[in-house]
């Protein structure tokens, strides 16, 4: 087995017949959701299943992941922390604010936070960034994976509040949450347009790709918040 | 500008520095309480702030690392408190309803097994489900059935095999567990009956306790159910039929779980759609009163009864079957055969903006 680094903290473990996406385990000896642990030259890696993680799928789809070792990340829609655990692995010198609305899944997330010092759990509604504006600082990256009909609005609103100038927004848009019957292609087009112009924040879309075969009817989006010069 | 932050209230000058700061005591428990109380405060920052800089600037913490460690500790405490406060009455009802469903599934499976297994030794016993479990738990081998029991004659002339002591013990034990499950189901049923009146008095008055509980469970909570439009209430529990309708040309469902209400179940087929609409609208009203703190209001039920009467009066006879239409090839439709079309654009984007599982456009007049 050998290791290839794809970007900060994200690796591919190369075995004889395949490549496995993985992150360097911050809490060695423990698996979070039953994923495989792999030892390569005395360093432990955790397998990252792209079928269970939109971010994982985005890595394999060739997105330039803007998360660095020391980034501060705002993660909207943290759920039980499957993906958050990998983000936590990447951020050896950074911090992730994990916002989740459901108390049920927050229970699992808190168990994860107890093991990992760089996750800050926030039980709040991502529709109302003001309700956590006294907790979250300005961040470098926002990652959003919420299955809500107003996904673009939530992303824009949170970017306005918390994203630093020229910071990056990573977004996973689920077409089924917006309209169950319309064609996903059309929904994606509409949502991107909305994001770019409807909410008084300007974005420059850097990359957009559908996340199949890992996730059906999902679009991955990487954008940079655009700040116009005042002069 | 005044701004409430998790570590205290600050007055921030034009250039972004803290002019004045009123800090909270540096104790995680106190800070967690302050953090929760601040939600909903008018003076929460209207845009993001560089809280870390400000905290160091006003001497709350000295180093960035201290900030991280303390914030994490406080956030975990705050979230734990919020979680412990989420156990509400409607959540308990939901658990009870779902437990009952699980029990039904398990009891069904176990009683089938018992029928098969005990059938080897006493095939003439024509009991099923609960009576059977009670019988086996009580007697075990058919030789133990006393002379004055109804089954005595059948038991003494049975073609069943001999039951050894070991197997008898095993079977009785198995049957006794099954009886325990049936008992648990009855307790749950009683719990729902006794508590629905307090959780949702109006809903219980209109829909009855079991149906009301099921509606709350399917919606995911009393407030969520109250937020649904009544056309959604009408088809909750019929999501497969609803999506089939939205995607293709299948007919719209007339009723979901509210079908179990005697008003609909007990009405002739041509009145059911109308009844479903009337009932759903009153259920919506009732739930909204319950969710937002209303007391029992009998007038909702009276109005429903009046509406029901008028429906019965207006439609006493089944409508005459329309003579088979001569198919006129319309636009985009060939030979009268329903054309399946993914996307259903003809409906004009009815589904826009609705929540994922249920749809507000579902209740087309039947």
């Amino acid at each position: 087995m050998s290791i290839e680094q794809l970007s900060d903290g994200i690796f591919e473990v190369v075995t004889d017949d395949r490549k496995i996406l993985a992150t360097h385990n911050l809490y060695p000896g423990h698996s979070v959701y039953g994923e495989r642990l792999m030892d390569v030259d005395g360093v432990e890696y955790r397998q990252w299943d792209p079928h269970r993680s939109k971010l994982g799928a985005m890595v394999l789809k060739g997105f330039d992941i803007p998360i660095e070792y020391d980034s501060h990340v705002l993660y909207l829609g943290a759920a039980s922390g499957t993906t958050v655990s990998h983000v936590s692995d990447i951020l050896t010198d950074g911090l992730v604010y994990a916002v989740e609305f459901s108390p049920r899944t927050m229970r699992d997330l808190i168990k994860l936070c107890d093991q990992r010092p760089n996750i800050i759990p926030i039980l709040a509604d991502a529709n109302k960034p003001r309700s956590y504006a006294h907790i979250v600082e300005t961040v470098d990256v926002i990652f959003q994976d919420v299955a809500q009909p107003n996904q673009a609005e939530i992303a824009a609103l949170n970017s306005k509040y918390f994203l630093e100038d020229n910071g990056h927004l990573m977004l996973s848009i689920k077409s089924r949450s917006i309209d169950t019957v319309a064609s996903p292609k059309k929904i994606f087009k509409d949502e991107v347009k909305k994001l770019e112009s409807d909410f008084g924040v300007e974005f420059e879309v850097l990359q957009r790709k559908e996340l199949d075969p890992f996730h059906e009817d999902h679009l991955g989006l990487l954008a940079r918040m655009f700040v116009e010069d005042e002069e | 500008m005044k701004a409430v932050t998790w570590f205290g209230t600050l007055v921030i000058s034009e250039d972004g520095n803290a002019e004045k700061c009123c800090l909270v005591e540096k104790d995680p428990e106190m800070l967690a309480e302050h953090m929760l109380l601040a939600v909903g405060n008018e003076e929460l920052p209207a845009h993001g702030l560089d809280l870390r800089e400000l905290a160091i600037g006003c001497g709350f913490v000295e180093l960035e690392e201290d900030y991280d460690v303390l914030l994490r500790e406080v956030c975990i405490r705050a979230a734990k408190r919020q979680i412990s406060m989420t156990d509400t009455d409607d959540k308990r009802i939901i658990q009870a309803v779902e437990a009952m469903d699980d029990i039904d599934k398990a009891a069904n499976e176990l009683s089938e097994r018992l029928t098969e297994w005990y059938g080897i030794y006493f095939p003439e016993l024509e009991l099923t489900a609960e009576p059977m479990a009670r019988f086996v738990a009580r007697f075990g081998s058919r030789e133990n059935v006393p002379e004055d029991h109804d089954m005595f004659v059948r038991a003494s002339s049975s073609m069943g095999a001999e039951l050894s002591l070991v197997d008898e013990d095993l079977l009785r034990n198995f049957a006794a567990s099954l009886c325990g499950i049936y008992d648990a189901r009855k307790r749950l049923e009683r719990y729902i009956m006794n508590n629905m009146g307090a959780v949702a008095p109006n809903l219980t008055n209109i829909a009855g306790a079991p149906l009301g509980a099921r509606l709350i469970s399917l919606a995911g909570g009393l407030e969520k159910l109250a937020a649904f439009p009544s056309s959604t209430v009408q088809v909750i529990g019929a999501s497969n039929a609803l999506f089939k309708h939205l995607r293709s040309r299948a007919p719209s469902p007339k009723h979901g779980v509210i079908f179990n209400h005697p008003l609909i179940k007990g009405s002739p087929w041509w009145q059911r759609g109308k009844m479903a609409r009337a009932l759903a609208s009153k259920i919506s009203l009732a739930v909204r009163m319950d969710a937002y703190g209303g007391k029992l209001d009998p007038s909702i039920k009276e109005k429903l009864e009046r509406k029901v009467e008028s429906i019965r009066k207006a439609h006493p006879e089944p409508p005459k079957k329309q003579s088979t239409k001569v198919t006129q090839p319309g636009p985009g439709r060939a030979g009268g055969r329903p054309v399946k079309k993914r996307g259903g654009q003809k409906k004009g984007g009815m589904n826009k903006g609705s929540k994922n599982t249920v749809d507000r456009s579902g209740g087309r007049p039947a």
Side-chain angles (χ1 to χ4, degrees):
Chain A
M1 282 199 281
S2 65
I3 283 287
E4 269 174 30
Q5 177 152 345
L6 300 178
S7 98
D8 265 16
I10 304 175
F11 303 90
E12 255 179 348
V13 177
V14 185
T15 65
D16 296 339
D17 53 346
R18 59 188 187 133
K19 291 178 169 180
I20 302 166
L21 188 65
T23 54
H24 176 204
N25 195 354
L26 191 72
Y27 189 55
H30 294 263
S31 150
V32 174
Y33 52 98
E35 75 284 14
R36 187 174 147 198
L37 302 177
M38 293 165 290
D39 197 297
V40 185
D41 302 332
V43 182
E44 190 175 277
Y45 294 87
R46 285 194 311 128
Q47 181 175 5
W48 190 356
D49 183 355
H51 293 277
R52 295 187 57 171
S53 165
K54 315 280 156 35
L55 185 57
M58 282 164 98
V59 174
L60 290 186
K61 278 288 191 170
F63 280 82
D64 298 323
I65 306 299
I67 302 172
E68 293 167 13
Y69 291 125
D70 56 353
S71 294
H72 290 173
V73 179
L74 174 59
Y75 192 120
L76 304 169
S80 324
T82 311
T83 306
V84 176
S85 72
H86 289 289
V87 176
S88 151
D89 278 350
I90 299 169
L91 300 171
T92 45
D93 198 22
L95 204 60
V96 52
Y97 294 90
V99 177
E100 170 57 40
F101 187 44
S102 154
R104 173 64 193 86
T105 48
M106 192 49 138
R107 256 157 50 190
D108 298 335
L109 188 61
I110 285 194
K111 284 179 206 154
L112 188 72
C113 298
D114 281 335
Q115 303 169 347
R116 290 163 175 268
N118 56 3
I119 307 176
I120 293 180
I122 298 170
L123 182 63
D125 185 352
N127 273 302
K128 299 175 185 145
R130 198 167 188 188
S131 69
Y132 46 89
H134 61 309
I135 304 171
V136 179
E137 61 185 319
T138 317
V139 297
D140 309 305
V141 181
I142 293 183
F143 179 82
Q144 177 181 313
D145 176 19
V146 295
Q148 291 290 321
N150 59 338
Q151 289 165 75
E153 187 185 354
I154 295 176
L157 213 56
N158 278 281
S159 302
K160 212 192 245 180
Y161 261 85
F162 304 114
L163 197 56
E164 66 165 17
D165 299 350
N166 296 318
H168 288 87
L169 169 71
M170 297 191 85
L171 189 58
S172 143
I173 298 174
K174 180 182 174 187
S175 79
R176 291 279 169 87
S177 304
I178 295 164
D179 189 328
T180 48
V181 291
S183 108
K185 293 259 184 312
K186 184 176 174 299
I187 295 175
F188 293 149
K189 218 171 131 194
D190 291 351
E191 285 299 297
V192 173
K193 215 189 214 167
K194 258 193 241 169
L195 181 71
E196 283 175 325
S197 55
D198 276 12
F199 306 102
V201 196
E202 297 217 19
F203 289 97
E204 179 194 352
V205 175
L206 302 175
Q207 277 174 302
R208 49 170 293 177
K209 263 176 211 163
E210 290 191 29
L211 298 182
D212 62 315
F214 307 112
H215 302 273
E216 257 178 48
D217 294 344
H218 280 75
L219 181 77
L221 194 75
L222 173 65
R224 198 165 58 94
M225 191 164 72
F226 201 74
V227 181
E228 281 178 89
D229 287 329
E230 280 175 14
E231 284 112 299
Chain B
M1 185 191 72
K2 211 170 163 190
V4 174
T5 69
W6 67 274
F7 50 85
T9 307
L10 312 176
V11 178
I12 297 165
S13 63
E14 295 267 311
D15 55 3
N17 288 322
E19 276 177 356
K20 256 201 282 183
C21 31
C22 173
L23 299 175
V24 181
E25 198 183 318
K26 212 168 149 184
D27 166 66
E29 204 53 41
M30 302 271 282
L31 283 161
E33 193 167 335
H34 170 77
M35 185 180 271
L36 293 177
L37 285 176
V39 177
N41 190 318
E42 287 293 303
E43 280 160 350
L44 282 175
H47 55 85
L49 293 171
D50 202 343
L51 296 174
R52 178 186 301 265
E53 287 280 298
L54 289 167
I56 295 171
C58 52
F60 180 68
V61 286
E62 279 173 23
L63 298 168
E64 293 214 0
E65 289 85 71
D66 298 343
Y67 181 87
D68 294 348
V69 171
L70 193 58
L71 177 58
R72 170 175 173 271
E73 165 88 34
V74 174
C75 276
I76 291 179
R77 275 179 199 239
K80 280 183 178 168
R81 271 200 203 191
Q82 279 170 296
I83 288 172
S84 68
M85 286 186 301
T86 50
D87 178 39
T88 50
D89 291 339
D90 56 336
K91 293 270 149 43
R92 285 192 281 274
I93 295 279
I94 292 174
Q95 290 298 335
V97 171
E98 286 177 6
M100 227 159 70
D101 290 346
D102 292 344
I103 280 186
D104 286 344
K105 243 191 264 164
N108 220 346
E109 211 151 285
L110 295 178
S111 84
E112 265 174 52
R113 171 59 46 224
L114 186 64
T115 313
E116 280 301 307
W117 193 355
Y118 196 65
I120 301 173
Y121 306 106
F122 191 0
E124 292 83 357
L125 180 77
E126 271 168 1
L127 301 174
T128 51
E130 193 175 349
M132 165 152 206
R134 304 260 175 225
F135 179 92
V136 180
R138 188 162 159 213
F139 301 116
S141 165
R142 65 188 146 82
E143 285 160 22
N144 301 335
V145 178
E147 279 183 41
D148 56 348
H149 195 275
D150 296 344
M151 291 293 169
F152 179 73
V153 182
R154 286 190 200 178
S156 45
S157 63
S158 170
M159 63 174 141
E162 282 292 308
L163 182 56
S164 77
L165 273 178
V166 182
D167 290 294
E168 182 185 357
D169 192 46
L170 208 58
L171 265 166
R172 278 182 92 157
N173 208 301
F174 185 79
S177 316
L178 186 52
C179 290
I181 290 178
Y182 285 120
D183 292 339
R185 191 189 195 286
K186 279 180 197 134
R187 272 200 294 277
L188 284 168
E189 230 169 306
R190 261 204 306 277
Y191 175 86
I192 292 172
M193 285 295 191
N194 295 340
N195 286 277
M196 271 301 284
V199 175
N202 288 299
L203 177 60
T204 313
N205 190 30
I206 299 284
L211 176 57
R214 190 149 297 271
L215 284 168
I216 294 178
S217 154
L218 285 166
L222 190 62
E223 286 203 21
K224 280 191 186 160
L225 183 60
F228 283 166
S230 84
S231 53
T232 296
V233 172
Q234 190 185 341
V235 294
I236 292 180
S239 40
N240 279 343
L242 179 66
F243 287 125
K244 212 168 166 191
H245 161 63
L246 291 172
R247 292 218 168 93
S248 65
R249 296 199 173 201
S252 66
K254 290 197 285 289
H255 28 59
V257 284
I258 63 167
F259 178 74
N260 287 322
H261 194 280
L263 252 187
I264 299 177
K265 221 177 190 172
S267 293
W269 59 265
W270 66 91
Q271 289 176 359
R272 283 179 177 169
K274 296 169 180 56
M275 292 292 182
R277 254 180 300 141
L279 179 63
S281 76
K282 295 303 177 223
I283 286 177
S284 278
L285 286 181
V287 172
R288 284 170 200 171
M289 284 196 108
D290 292 335
Y292 303 109
K295 292 201 179 83
L296 181 63
D297 178 1
S299 76
I300 304 179
K301 192 161 192 184
E302 284 159 23
K303 280 181 193 150
L304 176 62
E305 276 158 10
R306 248 177 284 154
K307 178 81 188 162
V308 166
E309 267 320 297
S310 78
I311 292 175
R312 287 198 177 131
K313 247 187 218 154
H315 305 275
E317 297 294 324
K320 290 208 181 81
K321 277 211 171 155
Q322 285 170 359
S323 55
T324 5
K325 271 188 214 154
V326 184
T327 332
Q328 293 193 343
R333 200 169 169 185
R337 201 170 58 97
V339 182
K340 289 212 171 168
K341 195 169 181 187
R342 202 194 131 100
Q345 282 92 335
K346 287 220 143 179
K347 306 266 185 291
M350 290 158 87
N351 201 16
K352 278 261 161 64
S354 66
K355 294 262 162 65
N356 36 18
T357 48
V358 266
D359 183 276
R360 63 165 172 237
S361 59
R364 201 174 62 182

